[in-house]
Amino acid sequence: MHNLALEREWESEHELMDVTPRCPKCGSAHIEARNLARRFGGAIGAIAGTTSGAALALAGAEVGLVAGPLGAVLGGVAGVVIEAIVGGAAGCAAGSRLGDAIDRNILHNRQCGACGYRFSDKS
Ligand SMILES: [Zn+2]
């Protein structure tokens, strides 16, 4: 079920790369992708991922405090930085992916550069 969904998504992305989108109103090939939700999702995901990653690392530092003050300082600082970076990157990727799906399925993601007509990829 999950694998099938991923394959279908890959196929639709592959199609988008091969087929030049054209405006359904005037037929112009000068089409711009707006990707509003994708950008928004990436930013939100990065913030959420960084915050949750840092929170996890801080919880780990509290455990380290019981084990020893030196370990808490060293482990805590390194842990916060690493967890925040990993969490931010993962959150950004997840948010971008989610936003991309929203762009393609819900919003009118394409805009014609010739006449300004907005339409979705699936139309
Ligand atoms: Zn047009």
Side-chain angles (χ1 to χ4, degrees), residues 9-102:
E9 192 173 345
W10 186 86
E11 276 175 17
S12 65
E13 278 177 1
H14 193 66
E15 271 177 31
L16 283 176
M17 287 198 302
D18 288 344
V19 180
T20 305
R22 289 187 178 272
C23 175
K25 195 174 180 184
C26 71
S28 169
H30 188 68
I31 302 300
E32 292 160 6
R34 297 166 73 216
N35 290 335
L36 294 176
R38 185 185 210 156
R39 290 177 210 160
F40 187 71
I44 295 296
I47 293 166
T50 305
T51 308
S52 64
L56 269 174
L58 286 173
E62 281 176 21
V63 175
L65 202 64
V66 181
L70 187 66
V73 172
L74 292 177
V77 171
V80 167
V81 173
I82 291 166
E83 292 279 352
I85 291 170
V86 171
C92 183
S96 294
R97 204 165 174 78
L98 180 70
D100 189 38
I102 293 170

